[in-house]
């Protein structure tokens, strides 16, 4: 059977379309190629972005900074001594860039100016610590990266 140029073009188009469809199905069905938004309520989070920037600037302007460090017993958050720990309210949001299933939030429950998050709840790898707290009607926001 002899193929003319018209039939060859049709065969080339069909093969090309088949290849593209195969690639689309492969990309859709592979779990490791799934990417989601960083946060579920992305647009609501954007609305509070300026407030977070202002709170981060307030935290940066403190004379004695809030310390976030990885110690042997866990992640230590040390508030300045001039802060009354009974008036501190907030939460610690642990964000894992590589796996959103590991993200979690811990409310601050302070017995002193130190808060310790045990390392047993943290898997090894890279984490972003987001600390949001208020003290005497002033909001503060601190981001810190750690590796375990």
């Amino acid at each position: 059977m002899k193929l003319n140029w018209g039939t060859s073009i049709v065969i080339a188009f069909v093969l090309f379309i088949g290849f593209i469809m195969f690639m689309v199905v492969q990309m859709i069905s592979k779990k490791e190629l799934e990417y989601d938004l960083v946060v579920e309520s992305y647009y609501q989070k954007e609305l509070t972005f300026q407030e977070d920037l202002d709170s981060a600037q307030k935290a940066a302007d403190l004379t004695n900074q809030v310390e976030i460090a990885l110690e042997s017993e866990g992640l230590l958050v040390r508030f300045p001594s001039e802060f009354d720990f009974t008036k501190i309210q907030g939460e610690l949001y642990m964000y894992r860039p590589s796996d959103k299933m590991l993200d979690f939030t811990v409310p601050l429950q302070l017995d002193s100016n130190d808060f310790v998050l045990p390392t047993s709840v943290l898997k090894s790898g890279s984490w972003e610590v987001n600390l949001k707290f208020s003290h005497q009607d002033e909001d503060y926001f601190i981001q810190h990266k750690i590796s375990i």
Side-chain angles (χ1 to χ4, degrees), residues 22-105:
F22 172 75
M23 292 303 289
V24 167
V25 168
Q26 288 289 78
M27 297 296 271
I28 290 174
S29 63
K30 287 197 176 194
K31 285 286 186 196
E32 63 265 9
L33 297 177
E34 276 186 25
Y35 292 99
D36 296 325
L37 291 174
V38 174
V39 291
E40 292 296 325
S41 56
Y42 177 77
Y43 295 107
Q44 284 76 18
K45 182 118 174 101
E46 269 304 303
L47 295 174
T48 64
F49 185 68
Q50 186 60 46
E51 294 171 8
D52 289 344
L53 286 177
D54 294 340
S55 299
Q57 186 60 48
K58 283 182 195 172
D61 291 342
L62 289 172
T63 54
N64 293 327
Q65 297 292 316
V66 175
E67 296 176 32
I68 299 176
L70 195 58
E71 302 286 332
S72 59
E73 65 272 1
L75 179 70
L76 173 68
V77 179
R78 179 169 287 146
F79 293 96
S81 58
E82 63 263 11
F83 278 23
D84 181 8
F85 70 88
T86 59
K87 295 180 181 175
I88 296 174
Q89 295 179 342
E91 63 185 19
L92 187 68
Y93 175 65
M94 300 299 293
Y95 168 67
R96 180 70 180 256
S98 61
D99 187 0
K100 77 174 186 175
M101 298 302 289
L102 296 176
D103 296 354
F104 63 94
T105 303

